[in-house]
Structure formats: structure tokens, C-alpha cells
Amino acid sequence: MNARDTELLDFSSDAPEGPDTLTQILLALRLDGVEYGRCVMRERWAVAFPAQRSARFHFVGSGGCWLRTAATHWVRLNAGDAVLLPHGSFHVLASAPDVPAVEIDSLSRVAVADNIYVVGDPNEVPNDAGADVMFCGALRFNLDALHPLIAMMPPVMLASDLALKDATVPALLDAMEREVALNRIGACGILARLADALAASIIRVWLECGCSDATGWIAAVRCPKVGKVVAAIHADPERGWTLPELADVMGTSRSTFADAFTRTMGESPAKYVAKVKMFQARRWIAHDGMRVAVAAERLGYESEASFSRAFKRVIGHAPSAARGG
């Protein structure tokens, strides 16, 4: 090991040039609204939301409710609170914990736009006394659900827990609360856009403030040197990355790079490259309808069979099972 390589092992010694890797990945993160709904609930009520691939978002416009997931106890949500469930896990919203829940799909709904609906009477004034007004949404990440950033997110992210750490969060909550109270024309559409921004802000604050002690992937992308390599792999998953090429990105010898990457990430460069390729392949097949043979060719596999074996090894099932997921 030469002096140059010894210096490169001191990850804290250099500041990153330009935006850091985590910022680059966060800037590339997109949340697309699948559907949004305004729910005006009265009396005693409870609604169960089944597990789904898309993230779930809820904002309490007025009144309040209780939230429970399969892994958590009941949590109280008051007017102005919002919660993001990034993995779309099963959960229940209720006026009280002892109310039997009905499935959300069993409630009557009226469409008011392409992806916006109202549960109940669309002409009803939602801020009447005694009503619990919820604005609920389903959002889809532009990253695969197995992407390390998505996989590391907690099952429930409360905006109230993060509001003190970023002024953007309470400002967006206030704007949503006013929009619900005014009940103006186009309110649901504006609420949908605000929900997109709030969900992204919740994730940003969690990354900046909630992961300060994180290890593994978050620690790696925050490292100026290893982070450059991680960013390069994600930016070009179709490339047939070799160990020498990745070492060149970091600017060190192959042995020093391999040791540093494995120590920081907890897995070898080759294994991580293979995972990123399969994350990309699953999105192509599941969301874009790409044929398995085309995905295999784009990712540099000599045959569909070898690609399918690699896909199953990383994802856990055959590529054909990903279609329509």
C-alpha cells in the first residue's frame, strides 16, 4: 500500500466536491401520486388500509384519529398531523381504538378528478363541527422497493416528530390545514401537490436528522470517497462495472478500494453491483412492461437463463413473477 492509498483510507479527511452523494440521490428521488382522497368521517368509525406496494400518506385536516399498524400500538393523530408509511404496510385509522374496522375499498367514493376522489358527499363542507376530516394518498417512489434508501425507511414516519427539525414541515402542514378549512374550488388538487412536497420533506428531514448514527448504506453514501462509487453505480446500472473501473472512480488501487468498500458497505463491490442491476431490472419488468430477454441484454447478460438465475438470487423469485408488481 502506497502513501496515496493510506491517505484515501482516511474518509473524513476530504470534503466532497460539489453536492454530496446523499444529496444527489435525494434530488433524484421522486414521489408520484397514484391517488388521493378526502374522507369526511362522522360518529364512531374505523377504516383498515390493506398492505400495498405504494406508500401511504395521511393528513388530519380537522378532528383527529388513532393510528395502528401491525407492528405498533395505537398512536394519536390530531388536527394538523401527517404520517407517511413508505412501505405501504397494513394499518388502521379509527375514531377510537375499540371500533371495529371496515376495509377502505368498501366505502363509497366519488371521483372529482383523474386521481382524486371524495369519500362521502363531495359537496359536504368538511369543517363542520363533529367531523374528522382526513386527506389520504397513495404515492409511488421512482426507486425500487428494495433500493437501500427505501428499505431503510421506518414503517411509520410522523411529521410531528420531524417538524421541529425543519421549518418546511410545519409550513406545509399549516398550508394543508388552511386548504382543508377553506374548502375552496380545486382544494383537493392543491392538497395533492402539497402532500407530494410534504412527503418528500419528511424523507429529507429523516435523512438529515434521523440517520445521524446510521451505518452501512447511509454511512457509505455520506463518505466522500466510497459515496462517489455508490453514486456511479446507481447512475449507470447498465454498465458492466469491473473492479478496476470502480477503483478508478474512487482514485485508489483495486485492493485498497475493495477493502474500503466492503468494510463500509458490508458487502463486496461485485455483490452490490449485481443487486443494483436487479433493482433496475425489476422496475423495468414490473412498471415498464419490459420483456425479460430485453432486460437481460441491456444489463449485459449473455443469456436470459443466466440473467434469470441472478435475478432470483437477488430478488427471491423469477423475473416473470415481477411483471405487474
Side-chain angles (χ1 to χ4, degrees):
M1 181 183 297
N2 59 36
R4 180 169 171 265
D5 290 339
T6 304
E7 181 184 359
L8 284 169
L9 286 176
D10 182 8
F11 296 155
S12 63
S13 63
D14 294 340
E17 296 178 2
D20 63 88
T21 307
L22 195 55
T23 297
Q24 293 175 10
I25 293 173
L26 187 59
L27 286 172
L29 178 66
R30 295 288 182 271
L31 281 164
D32 299 320
V34 177
E35 66 173 10
Y36 294 96
R38 192 193 75 188
C39 307
V40 182
M41 312 299 290
R42 298 184 180 279
E43 312 265 335
R44 289 168 58 80
W45 60 272
V47 179
F49 294 82
Q52 63 177 32
R53 292 184 183 275
S54 301
R56 290 275 193 187
F57 174 87
H58 300 291
F59 172 75
V60 183
S62 63
C65 67
W66 292 84
L67 165 72
R68 179 180 64 82
T69 71
T72 63
H73 299 295
W74 289 101
V75 176
R76 177 67 181 176
L77 301 176
N78 297 309
D81 282 341
V83 60
L84 176 66
L85 295 96
H87 308 297
S89 51
F90 168 84
H91 60 286
V92 176
L93 296 178
S95 60
D98 60 345
V99 181
V102 299
E103 293 286 335
I104 180 63
D105 292 337
S106 70
L107 302 179
S108 61
R109 61 172 68 184
V110 178
V112 296
D114 288 342
N115 65 336
I116 300 174
Y117 63 89
V118 173
V119 173
D121 183 356
N123 298 313
E124 182 177 14
V125 178
N127 55 351
D128 284 350
D132 297 318
V133 182
M134 314 294 301
F135 186 75
C136 308
L139 307 98
R140 182 178 293 126
F141 290 98
N142 68 329
L143 301 177
D144 187 88
L146 295 180
H147 186 286
L149 176 59
I150 309 300
M152 289 183 66
M153 291 180 185
V156 178
M157 303 170 78
L158 293 171
S160 55
D161 292 343
L162 302 170
L164 296 178
K165 300 175 181 177
D166 187 340
T168 303
V169 173
L172 288 168
L173 290 170
D174 290 343
M176 293 187 72
E177 197 167 7
R178 287 195 301 272
E179 201 63 40
V180 170
L182 289 173
N183 195 37
R184 296 172 61 185
I185 295 173
C188 279
I190 293 174
L191 281 167
R193 303 291 76 77
L194 289 171
D196 293 345
L198 179 57
S201 295
I202 290 171
I203 293 169
R204 181 178 66 181
V205 180
W206 170 75
L207 280 169
E208 291 178 341
C209 305
C211 293
S212 57
D213 297 325
T215 57
W217 189 82
I218 292 291
V221 297
R222 282 177 169 161
C223 165
K225 297 181 177 67
V226 176
K228 285 174 61 178
V229 178
V230 175
I233 295 169
H234 281 276
D236 193 3
E238 298 177 50
R239 182 170 173 176
W241 290 104
T242 64
L243 190 64
E245 289 173 337
L246 293 171
D248 285 344
V249 172
M250 186 167 142
T252 186
S253 68
R254 283 177 286 177
S255 59
T256 298
F257 160 71
D259 177 69
F261 188 96
T262 303
R263 215 161 15 90
T264 307
M265 291 291 288
E267 59 186 342
S268 69
K271 186 175 181 180
Y272 188 76
V273 168
K275 285 172 59 175
V276 173
K277 284 180 176 290
M278 295 306 110
F279 297 160
Q280 181 64 65
R282 192 169 81 151
R283 282 201 61 79
W284 282 339
I285 296 168
H287 300 296
D288 300 339
M290 183 180 290
R291 291 188 297 113
V292 174
V294 174
E297 182 179 1
R298 286 189 61 174
L299 291 173
Y301 283 82
E302 295 181 354
S303 69
E304 185 176 331
S306 62
F307 166 78
S308 295
R309 287 194 296 271
F311 188 98
K312 187 173 183 179
R313 186 166 56 249
V314 173
I315 305 299
H317 56 71
S320 57
R323 194 170 305 284

